[in-house]
Amino acid sequence: MWHGFISFNKDNSEQIDDPEKCIALLRQTFGQFFKDAGFNPDNMDLMCALHLDRPEHLHIHYVFWEKEPKVKNKRAAGYKYRAKGKIPLDVIDKMTERLNAYTIDDDLARKRKKVMEELTRTSNEYDVAHLNDILRRWLKELADELPKDKPLWYGSKEVAEHRPKIDLVAEWLIDLDDKTSEADHAFRAELWDKEQKLKGIMGNYYQKRLEIEKRQMEAVPNFVDHQGLRTVHTIKQLEWDYHRRLGNIVLKKVREIQRETYKRNPRRKYKTNDKNLKRQLAISSRKVRGIMDGLFGSVAELFSPETTTYHNRLREIEQEMQEEYEKENRLQEMTKPENSKWTWGK
């Protein structure tokens, strides 16, 4: 058996950041590599694993072997497997050039499309595994990017630039559970529908309420935690609070990952194959993997309470705002002066 790895730098890692791209790369490059190395491509088996744990250093581990013995046996009749398997350096150099050329291939889009079409027949298990790989990468990126010296929440200013990724992680996590995903999508659709309806009916009045609650959200992002949903009076604030609660579930897990992640000390010199370093990294990797597996396995338990408790409050807000709007209109009509020839103004 032969084994090795293909490693891309930060700029070109996007060429292999999902299984479809990885398969496209292997199909285009390994056939010629086998020929150059003196193998029969039809007699070779290849197995690969795409590693996404280092976002700036994506890499593929591969193993290949001959299906059947094809080397003539000089000592006995028949054929045998190769006894030695060193790949010549010039063959490796050609493969390196081929891989570099792939990163600037103008026909890459067509190849990706072809690969994706071929993969449409894959099972749901493959889709879930792919989704899990992406989510693991995003969670590790958040753990690396967010400050570690103090606990941060979705409403914190330091988290503002990371909110789009946090929202995406929460949304994709919810999609792992069918019932939770169905409740989430139904609520988001209802939010949009109600907001458009109220904007059309209430006009400037609704806009004024939005501005008041927007200032409140910016001043005290977690105000609802202390006062409850009854303090939410606009659909926009309800939507913000929904994202905030889902995001805080994600951030709680990110902080757990931060606590369990062990990294090399850049100021310390380690021995080659340092056993203690390897042990610490292995323990850390196992703990972080356990946190993520637990998160993927408890999506319904963690997110369902949030995705199912907002519908009633949404309908209450719609009713309350229309009642207030009608009440204000009645007051304006009652205080409006009559148009009489005896009523004069300066």
Side-chain angles (χ1 to χ4, degrees), residues 247-264:
N248 282 337
I249 294 173
V250 173
L251 286 172
K252 183 178 179 180
K253 292 299 177 181
V254 169
R255 285 195 294 277
E256 291 180 20
I257 293 171
Q258 288 178 332
R259 285 195 296 268
E260 298 298 344
T261 299
Y262 181 87
K263 291 190 175 183
R264 296 170 59 104

Side-chain angles (χ1 to χ4, degrees), residues 131-143 145-146 154 162-176 184 188 243 246-254 257 292 295-296 299 303:
L131 177 59
N132 285 354
D133 282 341
I134 295 175
L135 286 170
R136 289 176 193 274
R137 188 181 75 186
W138 284 348
L139 287 166
K140 286 184 177 180
E141 287 177 354
L142 286 170
E145 294 167 0
L146 290 170
Y154 188 86
H162 302 284
R163 284 175 195 156
K165 182 182 288 186
I166 295 171
D167 290 339
L168 197 58
V169 170
E171 186 177 344
W172 282 36
L173 279 170
I174 288 172
D175 283 343
L176 291 176
D184 171 71
R188 292 174 188 266
H243 284 292
L246 299 183
N248 282 337
I249 294 173
V250 173
L251 286 172
K252 183 178 179 180
K253 292 299 177 181
V254 169
I257 293 171
M292 293 187 183
L295 175 60
F296 298 156
V299 166
F303 289 95

